[in-house]
């Protein structure tokens, strides 16, 4: 007699995570902020990552969002190296998942949101620079650009993480999603 195994993510969770991934891709395509500083898009890219991770509260949620975003950006991307976008967003999702695990999925806390957003943005930057190194860009150009870029990625990713945490906290207070389970 065979028993049917329950899927890891429910259809509702898959829909929420897929919509968050699609929202990231659409926001990257449609929202053009003329700041001209590296990492400024993390301001609005991190928010759906944290909201999806905070709604589902399962390991792998942000990784799934990163996979969906990366696949969309790789197939329909507008950047020169768009084929490698799947690695950037997958790394971002993995790091946000690891941060969520460390903090027990308390994504409604602004401090946790800042840490998760900043770490995810830095991971995306690191993968981006690694891809450029693998493609033959001289390391001196990478080293020259990484100083300012790491600070701006940290700041913009952190601000996006705080905004995402505030959105999750507001959804919990409004009763749209359940609050984090108590530790008692």
């Amino acid at each position: 007699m065979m028993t049917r195994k329950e899927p890891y993510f429910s259809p509702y969770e898959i829909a929420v995570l897929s919509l968050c991934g699609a929202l990231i891709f659409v926001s990257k395509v449609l929202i053009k902020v003329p700041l001209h500083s590296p990492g400024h898009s993390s301001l609005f890219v991190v928010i759906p990552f944290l909201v999806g991770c905070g709604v589902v509260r399962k390991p792998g949620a942000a990784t799934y969002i990163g996979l969906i975003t990366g696949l969309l950006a790789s197939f329909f991307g507008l950047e020169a190296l768009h084929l490698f976008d799947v690695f950037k967003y997958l790394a971002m999702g993995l790091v946000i998942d690891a941060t969520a695990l460390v903090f027990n999925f308390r994504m409604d806390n602004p401090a946790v949101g800042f840490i998760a957003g900043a770490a995810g943005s830095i991971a995306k930057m690191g993968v981006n620079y690694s891809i450029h190194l693998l493609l033959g860009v001289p390391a001196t150009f990478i080293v020259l650009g990484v100083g300012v870029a790491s600070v701006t990625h940290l700041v913009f990713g952190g601000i996006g993480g705080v905004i995402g945490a505030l959105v999750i906290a507001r959804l919990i207070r409004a009763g749209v999603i359940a609050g984090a389970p108590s530790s008692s």
Side-chain angles (χ1 to χ4, degrees):
M1 183 165 77
M2 292 181 13
T3 60
R4 185 165 183 220
K5 187 176 178 182
E6 289 292 318
Y8 185 68
F9 290 126
S10 70
Y12 164 76
E13 292 168 339
I14 290 174
V16 167
L17 296 175
S18 297
L19 285 172
C20 286
L23 178 64
I24 294 169
F25 173 71
V26 169
S27 67
K28 285 282 291 183
V29 171
L30 295 181
I31 300 174
K32 300 295 181 196
V33 181
L35 284 179
H36 303 295
S37 66
H40 74 276
S41 66
S42 293
L43 189 64
F44 52 85
V45 166
V46 170
I47 297 169
F49 267 106
L50 291 184
V51 170
C53 195
V55 168
V56 173
R57 284 195 187 96
K58 286 184 183 176
T63 305
Y64 183 85
I65 294 171
L67 180 67
I68 295 298
T69 304
L71 289 174
L72 287 171
S74 291
F75 287 129
F76 304 112
L78 304 173
E79 298 173 6
L81 298 174
H82 66 87
L83 291 175
F84 300 106
D85 282 347
V86 68
F87 301 115
K88 294 191 296 188
Y89 289 105
L90 199 57
M92 190 174 196
L94 284 168
V95 169
I96 290 175
D97 261 339
T99 308
L101 276 170
V102 168
F103 291 105
N104 199 22
F105 292 95
R106 289 302 311 240
M107 303 310 270
D108 58 328
N109 186 336
V112 174
F114 183 88
I115 293 169
S121 184
I122 293 288
K124 182 178 173 236
M125 179 199 72
V127 170
N128 190 25
Y129 283 138
S130 299
I131 290 170
H132 282 88
L133 275 175
L134 288 173
L135 293 176
V137 175
T140 54
F141 291 123
I142 302 290
V143 171
L144 288 173
V146 82
V148 173
S150 61
V151 172
T152 57
H153 273 80
L154 182 111
V155 169
F156 288 121
I159 292 171
V162 169
I163 293 170
L166 294 174
V167 168
I168 293 169
R170 183 65 186 142
L171 290 172
I172 290 171
R173 276 196 309 270
V176 176
I177 60 175
S182 62
S183 60
S184 56

